[in-house]
Amino acid sequence: MRIAFYAPLKSPDAPTPSGDRRMARLLMAALRAGGHEVFLASRLRSRDGEGDPERQAHLVRLGARFADKFVERCESGRIPTPDIWFSYHLYYKAPDLIGPAVARRLGIPYVVAEASNAPKRAGGPWADSHRRILDALGQAALVIGFNSRDKPCVAPCLGPGGTYLQIKPFLDRLPYPVDPSAGPALRAELGISAGEPLLLAVGMMRPGVKIDSYRILAEALSRVPAERRWALIIAGDGAGRPEVEACFAPHRVRVHLLGAVDAARLRFLYQAADILAWPSINEAYGMALLEAQASGLPVVAGDVGGVPDIVSDGATGLLSPEGDSVAFAENLDRLLLDMDLARTLGAAGREQANRSHSLESIAGQLTVALQALPC
């Protein structure tokens, strides 16, 4: 099949790394692995983060203009008509302003991956965008979810004949290698003694929920008994870095802020660390959590969103209520006191990632679902 792919929140070729960009790229790769021809249909970013009606109206006009041009190019034969329109990640701040119109006018199935429904936005500055999300879900022939907690709110919005498919977040190039020399190498690089477990946190430093996660992590570390040995490695950067530095000021000698790192460096950090620690405030599911498990790291995280779809509490990691720094500290301390348990959880997480979260396994599920669509 020829598939037109679109990500209204962030294009898969956007310059700034993020989990959203990563998943868009992985979806395109999975579709191609299933034998489909996939092309990026548009780079229009429909996000309005401020609830600005003028900006929303401008974006609606841009979307309609692009849809008109795309349909005209297909109908004139200048480009082949796609068999499917596939949009990734719809929510009230970034609705799909192109796909529903194109799919309807060309008579092709409209497919959505990762959509959210926020009924509290039915009124207020994003009311029009919220309505567009509901209209898109009502038109969709197939909605694909990564977060099992989204299904009760999203699935009832599907129209007659619409299908909901639950899949797991996934990674490519599994299995990840394990390098026993990475830990000693990182300790030597940063001047960390061999007896100190290495905690790793991975997250952009932007205002909002990311900074909230860093704040909870810092609070939790303050609650871990002072005699406990640990060092924290932080991979990430952004406008909120001064706030992050202030949060960890009481632990300055134990915390190493590495800034933004590339994929190879991040892979090395996963191999070197002993525990991935991330409170996951308002996390959809957390690609870093999955990458850590694929690298054999036990995960200490918040029980929120789709995190339990990745981290099996008590089997591959330890989960605590969202925002509960006391419970988070207790889980951290449990692993710091029992590194054998940490290694057992890490090994189970690696096995689970390789078994259930590979691109190849998801590619097959997507192909079966797409082939069942009426064309």
Side-chain angles (χ1 to χ4, degrees):
M1 296 181 182
R2 178 173 166 81
I3 299 175
F5 188 93
Y6 174 49
L9 177 60
K10 177 180 278 190
S11 176
D13 60 1
T16 305
S18 68
D20 204 74
R21 187 188 74 169
R22 178 79 187 281
M23 182 50 71
R25 293 178 174 185
L26 284 168
L27 276 169
M28 294 181 79
L31 292 169
R32 288 175 177 140
H36 305 290
E37 177 189 353
V38 185
F39 68 98
L40 185 60
S42 175
R43 294 180 176 85
L44 175 64
R45 191 169 193 235
S46 69
R47 185 178 187 275
D48 167 40
E50 306 301 325
D52 181 349
E54 291 186 7
R55 174 170 172 77
Q56 291 175 27
H58 174 66
L59 290 168
V60 168
R61 289 192 295 271
L62 289 178
R65 192 180 308 158
F66 181 90
D68 287 342
K69 290 181 179 179
F70 189 92
V71 170
E72 190 278 327
R73 292 171 68 198
C74 291
E75 291 179 339
S76 67
R78 283 186 287 167
I79 62 171
T81 298
D83 300 299
I84 289 171
W85 183 282
F86 191 114
S87 289
Y88 165 65
H89 201 173
L90 279 59
Y91 84 122
Y92 71 93
K93 290 185 179 179
D96 186 354
L97 305 176
I98 301 173
V102 170
R104 185 167 54 249
R105 290 165 63 182
L106 293 179
I108 61 176
Y110 176 62
V111 176
V112 174
E114 194 173 355
S116 63
N117 172 25
K120 65 181 179 180
R121 303 298 177 182
W126 287 282
D128 182 67
S129 294
H130 170 72
R131 178 183 58 77
R132 291 178 185 277
I133 296 294
L134 296 183
D135 289 346
L137 292 173
Q139 180 182 331
L142 174 66
V143 174
I144 299 162
F146 298 112
N147 179 345
S148 60
R149 288 175 174 168
D150 283 343
K151 184 177 180 179
C153 204
V154 172
C157 301
L158 273 62
T163 301
Y164 191 94
L165 172 66
Q166 187 73 47
I167 66 173
K168 294 181 179 296
F170 59 96
L171 298 170
D172 57 350
R173 296 188 293 275
L174 292 178
Y176 283 0
V178 174
D179 182 2
S181 68
L186 185 61
R187 286 182 169 83
E189 174 188 333
L190 300 179
I192 300 170
S193 70
E196 294 183 357
L198 295 181
L199 309 179
L200 175 64
V202 179
M204 298 290 287
M205 296 179 183
R206 58 173 179 259
V209 296
K210 295 298 185 184
I211 297 300
D212 290 343
S213 286
Y214 279 114
R215 178 179 53 79
I216 295 296
L217 177 56
E219 290 178 5
L221 289 171
S222 295
R223 297 177 181 278
V224 172
E227 66 271 18
R228 226 53 95 226
R229 302 187 69 184
W230 55 266
L232 173 65
I233 314 300
I234 297 179
D237 212 339
R241 179 163 179 149
E243 293 180 70
V244 174
E245 292 176 345
C247 286
F248 290 99
H251 310 292
R252 186 171 290 112
V253 298
R254 292 173 138 187
V255 177
H256 304 262
L257 285 86
L258 303 187
V261 301
D262 62 19
R265 176 68 166 171
L266 183 57
R267 185 72 59 84
F268 168 74
L269 296 177
Y270 287 135
Q271 293 172 336
D274 296 302
I275 299 168
L276 191 287
W278 188 247
S280 317
I281 302 300
N282 200 32
E283 197 82 60
Y285 39 84
M287 291 299 290
L289 308 183
L290 181 54
E291 290 176 327
Q293 288 196 151
S295 303
L297 277 185
V299 172
V300 177
D303 185 356
V304 60
V307 172
D309 295 326
I310 292 176
V311 183
S312 299
D313 188 29
T316 69
L318 300 176
L319 300 180
S320 55
E322 183 183 19
D324 188 337
S325 63
V326 175
F328 194 89
E330 290 173 350
N331 282 341
L332 270 180
D333 195 41
R334 181 181 174 190
L335 294 191
L336 291 172
L337 282 170
D338 191 348
M339 293 306 294
D340 286 339
L341 173 61
R343 284 185 283 270
T344 297
L345 296 178
R350 177 177 166 81
E351 192 278 330
Q352 177 175 284
N354 290 331
R355 181 185 69 251
S356 303
H357 297 274
S358 71
L359 182 147
E360 291 76 15
S361 65
I362 299 303
Q365 294 179 49
L366 291 177
T367 293
V368 170
L370 293 179
Q371 288 176 342
L373 296 177
C375 295

